[in-house]
Amino acid sequence: MRLVLVALNARYSHTNLAIRCLRAAVWQKVSPAVCDVICREFTIHDDIGTVVGDIYALEPDIVGFSCYIWNIERLKAVWRRLRLVCPQVVFVCGGPEMSDLVGDLSSEPAAMGNRFLEENPEVDRVVSGEGEQVWAEFIGRCVRDKSSLFKGPRILNLEFGADAHRDGGHRGGQNGGRYRDNGFWVDPYTVEEDFSHRYVYLEASRGCPFHCAYCLSACDDGVRYMDVEKLAPVLGRLFQWGARMIKMVDRTFNAHPWGKRVLDIFREEWEKFEGKAGTVMGLPKARIHCEMAGDLLSNSWMEYLASYPPELIQVEIGVQTVHDRTLSAIHRRQDFSKWADKVVRLQHEMGISVHLDLIAGLPEEDKAAVLESLDRVIRLRPQRLQLGFLKMLKGSPLRDEAPVHGIVYSPDAPYEVLRTAALSYKDLLELHGVEDILDKYYNSGLLGYGLDAMARESGKGRESGKNTAYADLLSALAVFWQRRGWFGRQWQRRDLMNNLEGFLWEGVPDDAARERCIEALRFDYCVAGLPVEQMPDWLHGPAEVNRNCWEQQDKEFWRQRLSSGQTMDRRQWARRISVSCFRYNVPVELSVGLRTGSRAGSNVGSGFLWGGGGTEVGDGDLFWYLFTSFSM
């Protein structure tokens, strides 16, 4: 028997954990010699005909589809076309999009009020809920009796079959439970693959101690933990197969001290691999991405993270909103003010990359409230700040409560909110523009000092008591872009910087203030490693000097500070070093100096002051900075 498990990922760099878990679960039940299981991954951007042709060529007996909000519409197109050429193949769907398909298993879908199977007659079976045990049981029956492919209930969950069972292990909250395998975990990575330049996903727990109304975990009964020691050999293999970014899918990684042991194992296994690999040129560091709850960043966790190698970890924290009324409406416990300073410590003192998330479209929150949340969070200077939009997930409590909050959402996946009682569709469209600007200028690392300068200078003169300068700046920039029809186009980093010229003339009418913004933007341009010879004319500073670095290399300055560059020839110097001057000491006067180097990525320059402020040029002191594209 041949089983093909299909995933359509959002992009090539992603991998699908579910289909690998299902493959492993089947092989625990039946021998690979009896059931050939093939995992096939595509992206939502791939041609449907190509996807269908690839699956067809494998001559499967069963095709399993991993269904999510981002791929369900494309998958429907796949199985509708595939059914026409594979009339005898059994199609089975599972995943979060099937999580609400429950009811009397002996009943027809119409009797259960479930329209999915009626609307998708090509689908033969649906696995609802956790799939490993159910899927393995179903395949085991089909292997023993092939007629089982075409008979029995069409909706399968943990009640399916005499051999299927609910896991009887411990369920506990954030403080309970032993480290115990509760039956859900299987080793998903037993077949060698090339994971270079791809994200690899792992889980070590299921469930969440919180019950946020917009999340499927709101229906979970506590948290289940696995025996984390089983992760050691898995991680060892993944490193050998090229994996460098490991993303833990656990809902709340720091809900239990167990998470520290997971991080210990990750570090131990990486150090073993790194030691065996030796000093390989260009070997990137591995990194583990963990989603943590801000309210659970205890002193113990902060002490632990302070001692952890910062280059090996990346932390994501869902802020969602800073407003108590909205938090109450979504049943979320959180006090942002009590842990905001811990984010600053993680990012800027410990050097740990921090990603923060916000959600627009939540109940009781208008546009002004969303922008206020954005402003308060961006002031923490996380490496990345995501402004997402509420999705009304099937099976989530908030979807049932939508009429209470005046929430109207798209009937098609991903079920994004279109308007609420507090937020119009027009407001949401404008916030989408802010999201785009945030990604292009902040998350890209392009603007650091310039963002602060523009927020400071354009925010002067606003009404007393209002302190949302950063959000107001991003919102105004989005309006500026919308008027010019720039959204939806591809832009190079240099062009993105050049697009700010007209905005400065509109938003910062004072000449002196505008000049200060230009100075900061030129600093960002140089730090980003953009070609100085292509710098737009309006960014050139006062008496800009084209220093010939080759002629300067014999000075004591070069010998003391650029020893790593002494062996470079004239061409290398010209390509990798630039010098610029500024009317004020940009990184000292603005508040983002700690984050520039860590946020801007690999293609950056590093700058340091030379010449000081003691050189009188023109009408004031000039501060000279040298920018290099190598580590000093």
Side-chain angles (χ1 to χ4, degrees), residues 496-599:
L496 286 173
M497 188 70 78
N498 207 21
N499 286 350
L500 295 174
E501 180 186 13
F503 177 76
L504 282 179
W505 281 93
E506 285 188 15
V508 189
D510 180 76
D511 290 343
R514 188 169 57 254
E515 181 61 36
R516 290 181 64 81
C517 292
I518 291 173
E519 295 286 281
L521 290 171
R522 186 169 71 259
F523 203 96
D524 283 333
Y525 186 98
C526 294
V527 167
L530 296 172
V532 176
E533 64 274 11
Q534 297 178 18
M535 182 184 291
D537 291 340
W538 65 275
L539 269 183
H540 282 277
E544 185 77 6
V545 177
N546 294 321
R547 291 268 175 176
N548 188 324
C549 295
W550 179 262
E551 296 175 356
Q552 297 288 332
Q553 68 170 320
D554 60 341
K555 289 190 174 183
E556 184 66 20
F557 170 79
W558 299 118
R559 288 196 295 271
Q560 291 180 353
R561 294 173 174 81
L562 293 179
S563 58
S564 58
Q566 289 290 325
T567 59
M568 292 193 299
D569 59 25
R570 183 189 299 268
R571 182 179 178 183
Q572 290 172 318
W573 275 105
R575 187 174 67 247
R576 304 184 71 180
I577 295 178
S578 65
V579 176
S580 191
C581 60
F582 304 86
R583 286 195 186 279
Y584 66 100
N585 199 346
V586 174
V588 172
E589 293 196 28
L590 296 175
S591 61
V592 292
L594 285 173
R595 74 182 178 93
T596 302
S598 62
R599 290 188 67 251

Side-chain angles (χ1 to χ4, degrees), residues 169-368:
H170 169 79
R171 290 174 181 268
Q174 65 192 60
N175 297 315
R178 293 183 295 131
Y179 304 153
R180 180 175 176 183
D181 182 355
N182 283 265
F184 70 82
W185 194 84
V186 293
D187 183 348
Y189 299 107
T190 57
V191 178
E192 184 172 355
E193 303 178 60
D194 180 6
F195 287 118
S196 302
H197 312 296
R198 304 192 74 187
Y199 296 102
V200 177
Y201 298 85
L202 274 176
E203 68 175 340
S205 67
R206 283 185 183 173
C208 182
F210 301 101
H211 297 278
C212 304
Y214 55 81
C215 182
L216 292 180
S217 290
C219 304
D220 288 340
D221 180 19
V223 186
R224 291 167 290 161
Y225 305 100
M226 64 164 286
D227 178 1
V228 297
E229 302 303 323
K230 294 182 177 181
L231 289 177
V234 179
L235 287 166
R237 290 195 300 271
L238 290 175
F239 294 146
Q240 292 176 27
W241 299 343
R244 294 298 178 266
M245 174 58 83
I246 308 294
K247 300 194 77 169
M248 302 301 298
V249 301
D250 306 83
R251 296 288 193 181
T252 310
F253 190 81
N254 60 330
H256 194 285
W258 143 100
K260 298 173 186 174
R261 181 56 190 149
V262 176
L263 294 178
D264 285 342
I265 292 172
F266 180 88
R267 176 173 54 184
E268 292 164 5
E269 292 303 313
W270 172 250
E271 289 174 349
K272 288 179 189 176
F273 172 78
E274 195 176 28
K276 292 178 181 177
T279 55
V280 179
M281 292 296 293
L283 177 66
K285 287 281 187 182
R287 178 174 284 190
I288 185 170
H289 179 104
C290 311
E291 186 171 347
M292 297 189 178
D295 275 24
L296 300 182
L297 282 173
S298 62
N299 290 336
S300 173
W301 265 102
M302 293 298 290
E303 291 173 2
Y304 177 84
L305 291 172
S307 66
Y308 200 81
E311 69 277 9
L312 296 186
I313 186 171
Q314 183 171 286
V315 173
E316 180 177 353
I317 303 175
V319 181
Q320 322 310 14
T321 178
V322 301
H323 299 290
D324 292 338
R325 187 174 178 180
T326 298
L327 290 169
S328 177
I330 60 176
H331 316 301
R332 182 179 177 86
R333 304 191 310 273
Q334 173 178 285
D335 189 343
F336 175 71
S337 62
K338 288 185 177 180
W339 52 268
D341 63 314
K342 294 178 180 178
V343 172
V344 175
R345 288 173 55 197
L346 288 172
Q347 178 76 59
H348 305 298
E349 295 180 19
M350 301 179 193
I352 293 175
S353 173
V354 178
H355 294 189
L356 300 181
D357 300 331
L358 291 170
I359 298 179
L362 294 171
E364 311 294 334
E365 199 164 59
D366 60 11
K367 179 185 174 183

Side-chain angles (χ1 to χ4, degrees), residues 48 108 115 159 162 193 224 282 323 340 348 425 458 472 529 573:
I48 295 297
E108 291 300 316
R115 296 193 303 271
E159 300 297 340
E193 303 178 60
R224 291 167 290 161
H323 299 290
H348 305 298
Y425 183 53
S458 64
D472 290 343
W573 275 105

Side-chain angles (χ1 to χ4, degrees), residues 325-326 361-370 404-408 417-425 427-428 431:
R325 187 174 178 180
T326 298
L362 294 171
E364 311 294 334
E365 199 164 59
D366 60 11
K367 179 185 174 183
V370 175
V404 176
H405 303 290
I407 295 177
V408 176
V417 166
L418 300 176
R419 70 170 187 267
T420 72
L423 199 63
S424 69
Y425 183 53
D427 291 335
L428 277 166
L431 288 172

